[in-house]
Amino acid sequence: MTTLSPVAGRIRHRAALAAGVGNFMEWFDFAVYGFFAPTMAEVFFPDSSATVGLLSSLAVFGVAFFFRPIGGLVLGSLGDRRGRRFTLSVSVVMMGATTTLIAALPSYHTAGVLAPVLLTILRCLQGFSAGGEWTGSSAFLLEMTPAHRRGLYGSVISSTAALATVAGSFVALLVQSVVSAESLLSWGWRLPFLIAAPLALIGLYVRLKLDETPVFEELKALGKVADKPLRAAGKRDLKPVLLTLAIAAVQGLGFYYLATYVVNYLSQTVHLSRISALVLSAIGLAIYMGLCPVAGMISDRFGRRRVNLTGSIGYVVLGLPAFVLMGQGGVAPVLIGMLLLILPQTLVSVTTVVMLVELFPAATRSSGSATGFNIALAFVAGPGPFVASAIASATGSSVWPASYMVLVALVATAFLIKFLPETAGRNIGTPERAVVAEVG
């Protein structure tokens, strides 16, 4: 069998950097909005009560996810027709531009109802651009990676998302510590969003310095690039799309609970100070970031199916106890409670990254994976912080916000136990050729 030449280690490391930088920017932008949700509520919804304002702000946060499937369809199709690198360059520029524009928005007091309308529009454009980022980064990176190291390299995607959220929390902590409450509402909240401009330029530069993946180049050489990848994926890839929807529902919801909701939960429901909530959330995310490569290596050793199901079942079993502990409010209980969320999340997150690539054929990989992944984030994960806040507000309980996460994990796990195959070691190139895993 004729094979592709192995990709040099140096090229793989550059690919990891390119995927990581853009992914960092996407999640930094989203994290900043999540951390500043209470402030954004006062800026754009000042006539509401504190609870209604926060819910309105989180609703604007969640509405972006409804545009992720549209972005996933458009950018995923471009990734299958024009190449993985082209799509990632488009997404990083769009994300940087829309986030920078958020920093320039007028407040409600200046522009009235136009202000939240413009904010919602820009959040929708953010969601559109993000629709191709996670799945596109996964395909771009793992199509350059040996089969026996896909879990380890895939952990770059999960780790940089956590790193971005930690960075966002520290930026939020710094701004809220040095800027007065009055200045925070007038101009201080704008500062973190302005960071998007240089991040976008760096991400674009790094991505344009790399060549296209060998898998896509092989598709072109063999004349196998799909003219209508969405139609082809719809006909052939229904089961992988449904499997992606299930694994992404657990992965996406778990991450948004951990990265976005927990900090607001600790301040609004548990009544910790905002600074304490940010610090504890950052510590938890730093632990998560460090454990992601371990989870990746475990999945390389024991396979994707077993590791992913372990994480999904972990959410079912540990979700409520985690919130019981965090609801107590002390440093130790909060961190232990977060750890009960972190452990299953590392397992489902890294395996989801890899299975986004391994479940689909090369010609429809970007389209198929983006479709399932973004539908899950739009209708299950994206609304998660809003649903959890609404549950806490309606029940007055510090425990019941976990019920939504537990229910989603339970339903997804029942489906995955029956239908999820083992994908580790699969050929992710064209059927005519196998990409040989580099040893060492």
Side-chain angles (χ1 to χ4, degrees):
M1 179 184 296
T2 306
T3 61
L4 288 175
S5 299
V7 179
R10 182 175 61 87
I11 301 299
R12 290 200 304 273
H13 295 156
R14 289 171 58 192
L17 176 63
V21 167
N23 196 54
F24 176 94
M25 198 203 78
E26 176 197 342
W27 292 98
F28 178 85
D29 295 343
F30 270 70
V32 162
Y33 186 96
F35 286 127
F36 278 89
T39 303
M40 303 292 278
E42 294 186 56
V43 173
F44 292 96
F45 307 97
D47 294 336
S48 305
S49 68
T51 299
V52 172
L54 177 60
L55 290 176
S56 299
S57 181
L58 290 175
V60 174
F61 175 84
V63 76
F65 287 88
F66 290 101
F67 279 76
R68 288 188 69 124
I70 301 173
L73 291 174
V74 175
L75 296 176
S77 178
L78 282 175
D80 285 327
R81 291 186 292 112
R82 296 286 301 274
R84 321 306 193 205
R85 188 188 71 160
F86 175 82
T87 302
L88 292 183
S89 299
V90 171
S91 67
V92 78
V93 170
M94 283 192 65
M95 178 64 75
T98 53
T99 305
T100 303
L101 287 174
I102 287 178
L105 285 178
S107 68
Y108 184 91
H109 289 303
T110 301
V113 72
L114 180 63
V117 169
L118 291 175
L119 174 64
T120 303
I121 291 172
L122 290 176
R123 285 290 299 158
C124 291
L125 291 175
Q126 277 190 324
F128 181 94
S129 61
E133 177 61 38
W134 186 283
T135 53
S137 295
S138 301
F140 181 80
L141 176 57
L142 297 183
E143 285 182 353
M144 295 188 175
T145 302
H148 68 291
R149 291 186 178 178
R150 287 179 198 151
L152 178 59
Y153 274 86
S155 69
V156 169
I157 306 297
S158 298
S159 294
T160 50
L163 178 62
T165 311
V166 171
S169 69
F170 276 113
V171 169
L173 178 62
L174 178 63
V175 171
Q176 294 177 10
S177 297
V178 302
V179 176
S180 69
E182 181 179 351
S183 297
L184 183 66
L185 290 175
S186 63
W187 56 266
W189 66 271
R190 303 176 188 274
L191 298 178
F193 293 97
L194 290 173
I195 299 175
L199 285 177
L201 293 175
I202 293 171
L204 180 63
Y205 173 79
V206 172
R207 287 178 173 182
L208 290 179
K209 295 290 287 185
L210 280 175
D211 294 327
E212 187 53 77
T213 72
V215 171
F216 188 78
E217 292 292 351
E218 182 183 359
L219 285 171
K220 289 198 299 184
L222 295 173
K224 297 293 184 180
V225 175
D227 292 331
K228 299 178 179 178
L230 287 174
R231 180 180 297 180
K235 290 180 178 179
R236 299 196 305 256
D237 301 334
L238 179 58
K239 183 178 178 181
V241 167
L242 292 176
L243 288 168
T244 299
L245 196 158
I247 59 177
V250 180
Q251 181 269 332
L253 183 60
F255 186 76
Y256 274 99
Y257 260 70
L258 188 65
T260 301
Y261 175 64
V262 163
V263 66
N264 290 321
Y265 165 82
L266 292 176
S267 61
Q268 299 291 322
T269 303
V270 184
H271 304 298
L272 297 182
S273 70
R274 189 68 180 172
I275 291 178
S276 296
L278 284 168
V279 170
L280 290 171
S281 176
I283 292 172
L285 286 167
I287 295 171
Y288 167 79
M289 180 177 64
L291 291 177
C292 281
V294 177
M297 290 186 285
I298 291 173
S299 78
D300 284 334
R301 173 68 177 82
F302 296 102
R304 320 298 181 214
R305 172 184 163 88
R306 187 185 309 178
V307 174
N308 186 272
L309 288 175
T310 299
S312 298
I313 294 170
Y315 266 129
V316 175
V317 175
L318 301 176
L320 288 172
F323 275 76
V324 169
L325 286 167
M326 289 191 295
Q328 296 181 26
V331 172
V334 167
L335 290 178
I336 294 172
M338 290 188 69
L339 186 62
L340 295 185
L341 300 179
I342 288 166
L343 293 176
Q345 181 60 24
T346 58
L347 301 180
V348 299
S349 182
V350 174
T351 51
T352 295
V353 169
V354 183
M355 287 191 289
L356 288 173
V357 177
E358 293 177 336
L359 281 169
F360 292 90
T364 57
R365 177 166 295 137
S366 290
S367 301
S369 62
T371 299
F373 184 81
N374 287 300
I375 288 175
L377 264 65
F379 296 101
V380 181
F386 177 84
V387 173
S389 293
I391 291 173
S393 177
T395 64
S397 168
S398 62
V399 177
W400 282 113
S403 61
Y404 178 62
M405 179 178 62
V406 172
L407 178 62
V408 169
L410 181 62
V411 173
T413 300
F415 176 78
L416 293 172
I417 287 175
K418 183 173 178 62
F419 295 108
L420 184 65
E422 179 54 67
T423 62
R426 280 188 178 181
N427 165 40
I428 62 171
T430 62
E432 290 80 4
R433 300 181 183 179
V435 179
V436 175
E438 181 182 0
V439 178

PDB file of all heavy atoms in Angstrom, residues 18 24 30 45 48 57 154 162 180 183 209 217 242 277 314 316 319 331 334 359 382-384 401-402 405 419 438:
ATOM      1  N   ALA A  18      -0.459  26.610  16.014  1.00  0.00           N
ATOM      2  CA  ALA A  18      -1.449  27.304  15.194  1.00  0.00           C
ATOM      3  C   ALA A  18      -2.860  27.005  15.663  1.00  0.00           C
ATOM      4  O   ALA A  18      -3.710  27.900  15.765  1.00  0.00           O
ATOM      5  CB  ALA A  18      -1.293  26.895  13.726  1.00  0.00           C
ATOM      6  N   PHE A  24      -7.311  29.485  21.599  1.00  0.00           N
ATOM      7  CA  PHE A  24      -7.171  30.340  22.780  1.00  0.00           C
ATOM      8  C   PHE A  24      -7.958  31.629  22.593  1.00  0.00           C
ATOM      9  O   PHE A  24      -8.688  32.066  23.490  1.00  0.00           O
ATOM     10  CB  PHE A  24      -5.694  30.666  23.011  1.00  0.00           C
ATOM     11  CG  PHE A  24      -5.450  31.617  24.153  1.00  0.00           C
ATOM     12  CD1 PHE A  24      -5.177  31.138  25.420  1.00  0.00           C
ATOM     13  CD2 PHE A  24      -5.496  33.002  23.965  1.00  0.00           C
ATOM     14  CE1 PHE A  24      -4.954  32.017  26.485  1.00  0.00           C
ATOM     15  CE2 PHE A  24      -5.278  33.884  25.006  1.00  0.00           C
ATOM     16  CZ  PHE A  24      -5.008  33.386  26.266  1.00  0.00           C
ATOM     17  N   PHE A  30     -14.956  34.428  24.524  1.00  0.00           N
ATOM     18  CA  PHE A  30     -16.188  33.949  25.137  1.00  0.00           C
ATOM     19  C   PHE A  30     -16.101  34.009  26.661  1.00  0.00           C
ATOM     20  O   PHE A  30     -17.076  34.338  27.336  1.00  0.00           O
ATOM     21  CB  PHE A  30     -16.471  32.514  24.681  1.00  0.00           C
ATOM     22  CG  PHE A  30     -17.306  32.448  23.427  1.00  0.00           C
ATOM     23  CD1 PHE A  30     -16.784  32.833  22.205  1.00  0.00           C
ATOM     24  CD2 PHE A  30     -18.612  31.998  23.466  1.00  0.00           C
ATOM     25  CE1 PHE A  30     -17.545  32.780  21.049  1.00  0.00           C
ATOM     26  CE2 PHE A  30     -19.390  31.941  22.312  1.00  0.00           C
ATOM     27  CZ  PHE A  30     -18.857  32.330  21.101  1.00  0.00           C
ATOM     28  N   PHE A  45     -28.555  46.348  30.367  1.00  0.00           N
ATOM     29  CA  PHE A  45     -29.916  46.104  30.875  1.00  0.00           C
ATOM     30  C   PHE A  45     -30.090  46.793  32.234  1.00  0.00           C
ATOM     31  O   PHE A  45     -30.436  46.155  33.234  1.00  0.00           O
ATOM     32  CB  PHE A  45     -30.184  44.603  31.000  1.00  0.00           C
ATOM     33  CG  PHE A  45     -29.909  43.831  29.741  1.00  0.00           C
ATOM     34  CD1 PHE A  45     -28.694  43.175  29.563  1.00  0.00           C
ATOM     35  CD2 PHE A  45     -30.864  43.758  28.734  1.00  0.00           C
ATOM     36  CE1 PHE A  45     -28.434  42.469  28.398  1.00  0.00           C
ATOM     37  CE2 PHE A  45     -30.614  43.052  27.568  1.00  0.00           C
ATOM     38  CZ  PHE A  45     -29.393  42.408  27.387  1.00  0.00           C
ATOM     39  N   SER A  48     -33.424  46.656  34.726  1.00  0.00           N
ATOM     40  CA  SER A  48     -33.895  45.384  35.270  1.00  0.00           C
ATOM     41  C   SER A  48     -33.375  45.189  36.682  1.00  0.00           C
ATOM     42  O   SER A  48     -32.417  45.840  37.117  1.00  0.00           O
ATOM     43  CB  SER A  48     -33.421  44.220  34.386  1.00  0.00           C
ATOM     44  OG  SER A  48     -33.818  44.402  33.044  1.00  0.00           O
ATOM     45  N   SER A  57     -28.302  39.100  30.412  1.00  0.00           N
ATOM     46  CA  SER A  57     -26.920  39.083  29.933  1.00  0.00           C
ATOM     47  C   SER A  57     -26.495  37.675  29.532  1.00  0.00           C
ATOM     48  O   SER A  57     -25.850  37.470  28.493  1.00  0.00           O
ATOM     49  CB  SER A  57     -25.988  39.632  31.023  1.00  0.00           C
ATOM     50  OG  SER A  57     -24.651  39.641  30.580  1.00  0.00           O
ATOM     51  N   GLY A 154      -4.505  16.022  20.759  1.00  0.00           N
ATOM     52  CA  GLY A 154      -5.843  16.581  20.856  1.00  0.00           C
ATOM     53  C   GLY A 154      -6.068  17.349  22.147  1.00  0.00           C
ATOM     54  O   GLY A 154      -6.900  18.271  22.189  1.00  0.00           O
ATOM     55  N   ALA A 162      -9.068  25.929  28.274  1.00  0.00           N
ATOM     56  CA  ALA A 162      -8.977  26.191  29.711  1.00  0.00           C
ATOM     57  C   ALA A 162      -8.003  27.328  29.997  1.00  0.00           C
ATOM     58  O   ALA A 162      -8.268  28.198  30.840  1.00  0.00           O
ATOM     59  CB  ALA A 162      -8.541  24.930  30.447  1.00  0.00           C
ATOM     60  N   SER A 180     -12.265  51.442  39.473  1.00  0.00           N
ATOM     61  CA  SER A 180     -13.383  51.705  40.377  1.00  0.00           C
ATOM     62  C   SER A 180     -14.676  51.169  39.786  1.00  0.00           C
ATOM     63  O   SER A 180     -14.787  50.950  38.569  1.00  0.00           O
ATOM     64  CB  SER A 180     -13.509  53.205  40.642  1.00  0.00           C
ATOM     65  OG  SER A 180     -13.929  53.877  39.462  1.00  0.00           O
ATOM     66  N   SER A 183     -15.971  53.489  37.098  1.00  0.00           N
ATOM     67  CA  SER A 183     -15.184  53.428  35.862  1.00  0.00           C
ATOM     68  C   SER A 183     -15.371  52.095  35.153  1.00  0.00           C
ATOM     69  O   SER A 183     -15.331  52.032  33.913  1.00  0.00           O
ATOM     70  CB  SER A 183     -13.700  53.643  36.173  1.00  0.00           C
ATOM     71  OG  SER A 183     -13.470  54.934  36.706  1.00  0.00           O
ATOM     72  N   LYS A 209       1.342  30.732   8.156  1.00  0.00           N
ATOM     73  CA  LYS A 209       2.714  30.251   7.991  1.00  0.00           C
ATOM     74  C   LYS A 209       2.780  28.747   7.758  1.00  0.00           C
ATOM     75  O   LYS A 209       3.829  28.211   7.395  1.00  0.00           O
ATOM     76  CB  LYS A 209       3.544  30.607   9.231  1.00  0.00           C
ATOM     77  CG  LYS A 209       3.742  32.099   9.447  1.00  0.00           C
ATOM     78  CD  LYS A 209       4.676  32.708   8.392  1.00  0.00           C
ATOM     79  CE  LYS A 209       6.123  32.309   8.631  1.00  0.00           C
ATOM     80  NZ  LYS A 209       7.038  32.983   7.689  1.00  0.00           N
ATOM     81  N   GLU A 217      -4.397  17.567   1.243  1.00  0.00           N
ATOM     82  CA  GLU A 217      -3.591  17.570   0.023  1.00  0.00           C
ATOM     83  C   GLU A 217      -3.765  16.257  -0.728  1.00  0.00           C
ATOM     84  O   GLU A 217      -3.798  16.223  -1.967  1.00  0.00           O
ATOM     85  CB  GLU A 217      -2.110  17.798   0.371  1.00  0.00           C
ATOM     86  CG  GLU A 217      -1.792  19.189   0.908  1.00  0.00           C
ATOM     87  CD  GLU A 217      -1.962  20.274  -0.152  1.00  0.00           C
ATOM     88  OE1 GLU A 217      -2.158  19.944  -1.337  1.00  0.00           O
ATOM     89  OE2 GLU A 217      -1.901  21.464   0.208  1.00  0.00           O
ATOM     90  N   LEU A 242     -24.966  12.079  14.761  1.00  0.00           N
ATOM     91  CA  LEU A 242     -25.732  11.883  15.990  1.00  0.00           C
ATOM     92  C   LEU A 242     -24.814  11.536  17.158  1.00  0.00           C
ATOM     93  O   LEU A 242     -25.026  11.997  18.293  1.00  0.00           O
ATOM     94  CB  LEU A 242     -26.771  10.776  15.794  1.00  0.00           C
ATOM     95  CG  LEU A 242     -27.909  11.112  14.825  1.00  0.00           C
ATOM     96  CD1 LEU A 242     -28.819   9.908  14.630  1.00  0.00           C
ATOM     97  CD2 LEU A 242     -28.713  12.309  15.326  1.00  0.00           C
ATOM     98  N   ALA A 277     -14.583  34.348  43.915  1.00  0.00           N
ATOM     99  CA  ALA A 277     -15.146  33.444  42.917  1.00  0.00           C
ATOM    100  C   ALA A 277     -14.225  33.322  41.705  1.00  0.00           C
ATOM    101  O   ALA A 277     -14.007  32.220  41.185  1.00  0.00           O
ATOM    102  CB  ALA A 277     -16.520  33.943  42.482  1.00  0.00           C
ATOM    103  N   GLY A 314     -19.351   9.641  34.989  1.00  0.00           N
ATOM    104  CA  GLY A 314     -18.852  10.430  36.107  1.00  0.00           C
ATOM    105  C   GLY A 314     -19.707  11.649  36.368  1.00  0.00           C
ATOM    106  O   GLY A 314     -19.964  12.003  37.528  1.00  0.00           O
ATOM    107  N   VAL A 316     -22.917  11.897  35.724  1.00  0.00           N
ATOM    108  CA  VAL A 316     -24.187  11.430  36.287  1.00  0.00           C
ATOM    109  C   VAL A 316     -24.043  11.180  37.789  1.00  0.00           C
ATOM    110  O   VAL A 316     -24.905  11.543  38.593  1.00  0.00           O
ATOM    111  CB  VAL A 316     -24.654  10.146  35.570  1.00  0.00           C
ATOM    112  CG1 VAL A 316     -25.921   9.593  36.235  1.00  0.00           C
ATOM    113  CG2 VAL A 316     -24.915  10.428  34.089  1.00  0.00           C
ATOM    114  N   GLY A 319     -22.238  14.848  39.648  1.00  0.00           N
ATOM    115  CA  GLY A 319     -22.766  16.191  39.433  1.00  0.00           C
ATOM    116  C   GLY A 319     -23.403  16.794  40.670  1.00  0.00           C
ATOM    117  O   GLY A 319     -23.039  17.895  41.112  1.00  0.00           O
ATOM    118  N   VAL A 331     -13.277  27.446  50.961  1.00  0.00           N
ATOM    119  CA  VAL A 331     -12.284  27.236  49.917  1.00  0.00           C
ATOM    120  C   VAL A 331     -12.120  25.752  49.606  1.00  0.00           C
ATOM    121  O   VAL A 331     -12.181  25.332  48.430  1.00  0.00           O
ATOM    122  CB  VAL A 331     -10.925  27.850  50.325  1.00  0.00           C
ATOM    123  CG1 VAL A 331      -9.844  27.460  49.318  1.00  0.00           C
ATOM    124  CG2 VAL A 331     -11.032  29.363  50.423  1.00  0.00           C
ATOM    125  N   VAL A 334     -15.275  24.125  47.948  1.00  0.00           N
ATOM    126  CA  VAL A 334     -15.449  24.604  46.570  1.00  0.00           C
ATOM    127  C   VAL A 334     -14.458  23.921  45.636  1.00  0.00           C
ATOM    128  O   VAL A 334     -14.822  23.446  44.551  1.00  0.00           O
ATOM    129  CB  VAL A 334     -15.291  26.134  46.501  1.00  0.00           C
ATOM    130  CG1 VAL A 334     -15.162  26.596  45.045  1.00  0.00           C
ATOM    131  CG2 VAL A 334     -16.480  26.817  47.157  1.00  0.00           C
ATOM    132  N   LEU A 359     -14.359   9.859  13.764  1.00  0.00           N
ATOM    133  CA  LEU A 359     -15.682   9.332  13.415  1.00  0.00           C
ATOM    134  C   LEU A 359     -16.058   9.578  11.954  1.00  0.00           C
ATOM    135  O   LEU A 359     -16.947   8.898  11.419  1.00  0.00           O
ATOM    136  CB  LEU A 359     -16.764   9.974  14.301  1.00  0.00           C
ATOM    137  CG  LEU A 359     -16.916   9.412  15.720  1.00  0.00           C
ATOM    138  CD1 LEU A 359     -17.829  10.312  16.544  1.00  0.00           C
ATOM    139  CD2 LEU A 359     -17.468   7.989  15.687  1.00  0.00           C
ATOM    140  N   GLY A 382     -24.871  25.704  25.055  1.00  0.00           N
ATOM    141  CA  GLY A 382     -24.925  27.156  25.081  1.00  0.00           C
ATOM    142  C   GLY A 382     -25.912  27.719  26.081  1.00  0.00           C
ATOM    143  O   GLY A 382     -25.590  28.636  26.840  1.00  0.00           O
ATOM    144  N   PRO A 383     -27.144  27.186  26.111  1.00  0.00           N
ATOM    145  CA  PRO A 383     -28.108  27.682  27.105  1.00  0.00           C
ATOM    146  C   PRO A 383     -27.812  27.233  28.529  1.00  0.00           C
ATOM    147  O   PRO A 383     -28.512  27.641  29.450  1.00  0.00           O
ATOM    148  CB  PRO A 383     -29.448  27.078  26.625  1.00  0.00           C
ATOM    149  CG  PRO A 383     -29.210  26.664  25.208  1.00  0.00           C
ATOM    150  CD  PRO A 383     -27.775  26.290  25.132  1.00  0.00           C
ATOM    151  N   GLY A 384     -26.794  26.405  28.732  1.00  0.00           N
ATOM    152  CA  GLY A 384     -26.521  25.826  30.053  1.00  0.00           C
ATOM    153  C   GLY A 384     -26.398  26.839  31.178  1.00  0.00           C
ATOM    154  O   GLY A 384     -27.066  26.703  32.210  1.00  0.00           O
ATOM    155  N   PRO A 401     -29.055  23.466  40.488  1.00  0.00           N
ATOM    156  CA  PRO A 401     -28.499  23.821  39.175  1.00  0.00           C
ATOM    157  C   PRO A 401     -27.746  22.671  38.507  1.00  0.00           C
ATOM    158  O   PRO A 401     -27.593  22.661  37.286  1.00  0.00           O
ATOM    159  CB  PRO A 401     -27.548  24.984  39.507  1.00  0.00           C
ATOM    160  CG  PRO A 401     -28.191  25.633  40.680  1.00  0.00           C
ATOM    161  CD  PRO A 401     -28.742  24.496  41.505  1.00  0.00           C
ATOM    162  N   ALA A 402     -27.296  21.698  39.302  1.00  0.00           N
ATOM    163  CA  ALA A 402     -26.602  20.539  38.723  1.00  0.00           C
ATOM    164  C   ALA A 402     -27.544  19.612  37.976  1.00  0.00           C
ATOM    165  O   ALA A 402     -27.098  18.786  37.165  1.00  0.00           O
ATOM    166  CB  ALA A 402     -25.889  19.760  39.831  1.00  0.00           C
ATOM    167  N   MET A 405     -27.305  19.422  34.072  1.00  0.00           N
ATOM    168  CA  MET A 405     -26.101  18.748  33.618  1.00  0.00           C
ATOM    169  C   MET A 405     -26.209  17.239  33.804  1.00  0.00           C
ATOM    170  O   MET A 405     -25.843  16.451  32.919  1.00  0.00           O
ATOM    171  CB  MET A 405     -24.891  19.284  34.392  1.00  0.00           C
ATOM    172  CG  MET A 405     -23.569  18.645  34.027  1.00  0.00           C
ATOM    173  SD  MET A 405     -22.223  19.405  34.963  1.00  0.00           S
ATOM    174  CE  MET A 405     -22.716  19.011  36.635  1.00  0.00           C
ATOM    175  N   PHE A 419     -24.368   2.799  21.100  1.00  0.00           N
ATOM    176  CA  PHE A 419     -23.972   3.054  19.710  1.00  0.00           C
ATOM    177  C   PHE A 419     -22.538   3.531  19.505  1.00  0.00           C
ATOM    178  O   PHE A 419     -22.046   3.506  18.374  1.00  0.00           O
ATOM    179  CB  PHE A 419     -24.925   4.093  19.098  1.00  0.00           C
ATOM    180  CG  PHE A 419     -26.338   3.626  18.973  1.00  0.00           C
ATOM    181  CD1 PHE A 419     -27.320   4.141  19.811  1.00  0.00           C
ATOM    182  CD2 PHE A 419     -26.686   2.669  18.034  1.00  0.00           C
ATOM    183  CE1 PHE A 419     -28.633   3.721  19.701  1.00  0.00           C
ATOM    184  CE2 PHE A 419     -27.997   2.234  17.909  1.00  0.00           C
ATOM    185  CZ  PHE A 419     -28.976   2.757  18.752  1.00  0.00           C
ATOM    186  N   GLU A 438       3.793   7.907  12.758  1.00  0.00           N
ATOM    187  CA  GLU A 438       5.238   8.029  12.966  1.00  0.00           C
ATOM    188  C   GLU A 438       5.600   7.470  14.344  1.00  0.00           C
ATOM    189  O   GLU A 438       4.946   7.765  15.320  1.00  0.00           O
ATOM    190  CB  GLU A 438       5.648   9.493  12.873  1.00  0.00           C
ATOM    191  CG  GLU A 438       7.136   9.689  13.053  1.00  0.00           C
ATOM    192  CD  GLU A 438       7.510  11.152  13.003  1.00  0.00           C
ATOM    193  OE1 GLU A 438       6.626  11.987  12.833  1.00  0.00           O
ATOM    194  OE2 GLU A 438       8.707  11.431  13.155  1.00  0.00           O
TER     195      GLU A 438
END
